[in-house]
Amino acid sequence: MGEGAHAVEALVKALPIATGVVLLALGLVAGSVFGLNDEALFVSPPEIVAQEFVRALAHGHIGSARSMLTRDGQRDTSNEEIRRTSDDLRSRLGRLDDVDASVVERRLDTLFLRTRVQGERDTAELTLPVIREFGEWSITRASDMAGLAGPPTGA
Amino acid sequence: MSLFGIALRALVAYVFLLALIRVSGKRIVSEATGMQFVLAIIVGDLVDDAIFASIPFAQLIVAAGTLTLLQLTVAIVAMLDVRAWKILEGAPPILLENGIPRRGAMRHQRINRKEIASLLRLAGISAARWAEIKRARIEEEGIVAVMFHEWAKPAQRNDAEWVKARMRSRPS
């Protein structure tokens, strides 16, 4: 057998092994998330989800913001609504300077996060409810987005 | 964000990527082709996001795993079929033939005479020795592979023995 054939054989053998490595890693992560109820190690912690959601809105990344909503939230919210909120938020706060989120309350499976958004012109604060859906934290109610574009609280 | 969480995610990412690299071959950055270099950058960005929990860990596994499997599949196809190899990886173009730079290949590779001279100098070949070059190709990894004319190749042990034999056979 030539060197080329050996190389092909080695690569063909590598395919199922690489697939196995990927499946094993996914299995370990799934075991940790669903079996051991991991809420913040192999899934994005709720604080990060809230921050990324607001960042996506502030940067006008509508699809990205939408993907962080729960299935129900995505069904009930149109892209147009998200875009409007994003536009309002940007016109009110200007360039985003900082986002900070912290858990203030836990009610059954829902966490409430106080999210403070600091822009170059103004600061906004709102409470975002998040729940775990398919192991990941997601923003539940799209209606809470309206708070992001509400009246100024003053810097 | 807890430092312990960051450390644990970094550890798991390291072990996962180490396993993938060991399985798929060691060529990631050194001697990497253009595509492998791009893949390394993409995976690096994903690892960054996963370590700081901006994305769920499963996304890193799926994305890095898919890219690795694709890379392996492309490598297999390229090894099995020469036409596929030319399409997927591109046959290394001849930049210099019989000591003369080929303008078409230079234009295609967006490389000028100075850069060819630089690549050849890195291979230990000065401009004075270009005439000795039969063909110089630029490989996908960005290095130059040089093939010398027979007459320009350095003398080997066999050549010395041939000369000795000729000397002995010569009538004194």
Side-chain angles (χ1 to χ4, degrees):
Chain A
M1 198 183 278
E3 272 179 34
H6 277 300
V8 172
E9 195 187 347
L11 282 171
V12 171
K13 269 186 192 166
L15 262 180
I17 299 173
T19 310
V21 168
V22 171
L23 292 178
L24 180 68
L26 279 176
L28 287 174
V29 169
S32 167
V33 173
F34 297 109
L36 302 175
N37 205 26
D38 158 32
E39 293 184 339
L41 189 60
F42 293 122
V43 292
S44 297
E47 295 91 342
I48 302 282
V49 173
Q51 287 172 17
E52 290 294 320
F53 178 70
V54 174
R55 279 201 187 96
L57 281 180
H59 292 125
H61 300 154
I62 309 303
S64 181
R66 188 184 180 79
S67 70
M68 286 178 231
L69 296 173
T70 56
R71 292 282 161 98
D72 288 344
Q74 290 186 27
R75 199 187 50 229
D76 298 340
T77 315
S78 69
N79 273 350
E80 199 43 53
E81 272 178 81
I82 303 175
R83 195 182 311 280
R84 210 167 32 241
T85 310
S86 168
D87 291 345
D88 289 348
L89 180 71
R90 282 189 286 175
S91 65
R92 177 184 159 198
L93 300 182
R95 193 192 66 241
L96 185 70
D97 282 340
D98 194 26
V99 189
D100 189 42
S102 55
V103 179
V104 286
E105 194 184 343
R106 180 165 204 154
R107 232 179 278 158
L108 295 173
D109 59 345
T110 307
L111 289 184
F112 293 87
L113 290 115
R114 182 177 296 130
T115 311
R116 189 179 160 82
V117 193
Q118 198 177 329
E120 62 177 341
R121 285 199 291 272
D122 198 2
T123 302
E125 198 171 285
L126 79 158
T127 305
L128 284 174
V130 296
I131 61 163
R132 285 190 83 192
E133 199 178 54
F134 307 113
E136 287 181 30
W137 292 103
S138 304
I139 313 287
T140 54
R141 291 196 303 268
S143 58
D144 291 297
M145 292 190 306
L148 283 169
T153 57
Chain B
M1 192 187 298
S2 85
L3 296 177
F4 176 72
I6 293 173
L8 203 56
R9 279 190 292 271
L11 175 74
V12 176
Y14 179 84
V15 172
F16 170 66
L17 291 173
L18 183 69
L20 268 192
I21 291 169
R22 292 282 292 128
V23 168
S24 65
K26 289 176 182 171
R27 288 198 318 175
I28 279 286
V29 175
S30 69
E31 293 181 25
T33 62
M35 194 60 205
Q36 285 166 333
F37 188 66
V38 170
L39 290 184
I41 291 172
I42 294 172
V43 172
D45 191 39
L46 283 168
V47 170
D48 172 63
D49 286 345
I51 286 177
F52 294 103
S54 305
I55 57 168
F57 213 84
Q59 286 186 15
L60 164 70
I61 296 168
V62 171
T66 306
L67 290 172
T68 305
L69 292 175
L70 271 174
Q71 187 66 13
L72 278 173
T73 310
V74 165
I76 292 169
V77 172
M79 276 194 170
L80 288 175
D81 188 80
V82 177
R83 267 180 306 179
W85 169 70
K86 280 184 180 170
I87 293 168
L88 293 167
E89 297 192 2
I94 299 170
L95 287 180
L96 209 77
E97 197 164 26
N98 296 323
I100 301 163
R102 292 178 68 178
R103 285 184 183 276
M106 284 164 68
R107 210 170 23 243
H108 193 252
Q109 295 298 312
R110 287 151 190 93
I111 194 166
N112 59 31
R113 202 183 164 93
K114 274 187 182 173
E115 285 167 310
I116 294 179
S118 166
L119 286 169
L120 287 171
R121 272 199 305 276
L122 286 173
I125 303 160
S126 66
R129 289 183 59 207
W130 281 19
E132 297 173 15
I133 296 173
K134 189 175 180 186
R135 276 192 207 105
R137 292 175 186 270
I138 184 154
E139 299 289 342
E140 182 72 1
E141 294 85 353
I143 54 170
V144 175
V146 179
M147 194 190 223
F148 287 101
H149 282 291
E150 281 299 319
W151 55 263
K153 286 180 183 169
Q156 303 289 307
R157 183 192 293 260
N158 283 351
D159 299 319
E161 276 161 14
W162 180 81
V163 171
K164 266 190 223 163
R166 286 289 298 266
M167 299 275 277
R168 257 188 251 120
S169 65
R170 213 182 245 182
S172 48

